[in-house]
Amino acid sequence: LPEHPELRLELGAAYITLRDVNSGLVHLREAVRLAPESAEAHRALASGYTAVFGHQQATEAALRAVELEPQVAENWAVLG
């Protein structure tokens, strides 16, 4: 796939919605790699991690989203 973080975000979210969490995480990790300053990418990855790994990795990704965009309520909501 081309190196478009937005496309990776959409694919990742679609796979997770379809309950193919492993494929979703592949795309979400790639979105974060391509756009490390994207709070949206970190927030989506946090949500994906929660579905698979539980809270440790999810918390790390969510904290990065909050760090990047503290004014966005969704970033705080992912923290729980």
Side-chain angles (χ1 to χ4, degrees):
L1 285 173
E3 294 198 356
H4 295 285
E6 298 86 11
L7 177 60
R8 295 294 187 145
L9 273 173
E10 293 298 323
L11 282 171
Y15 276 117
I16 288 173
T17 298
L18 295 170
R19 291 183 168 59
D20 185 350
V21 179
N22 291 327
S23 294
L25 288 176
V26 167
H27 290 288
L28 295 174
R29 285 185 195 114
E30 186 63 10
V32 167
R33 185 189 72 78
L34 293 170
E37 300 302 313
S38 168
E40 181 181 6
H42 287 279
R43 183 175 60 247
L45 184 59
S47 295
Y49 278 152
T50 299
V52 177
F53 299 113
H55 294 288
Q56 179 60 37
Q57 288 178 297
T59 299
E60 291 171 15
L63 286 172
R64 181 66 177 137
V66 167
E67 184 179 301
L68 291 167
E69 292 183 355
Q71 72 280 8
V72 176
E74 289 176 303
N75 296 338
W76 292 95
V78 173
L79 283 172

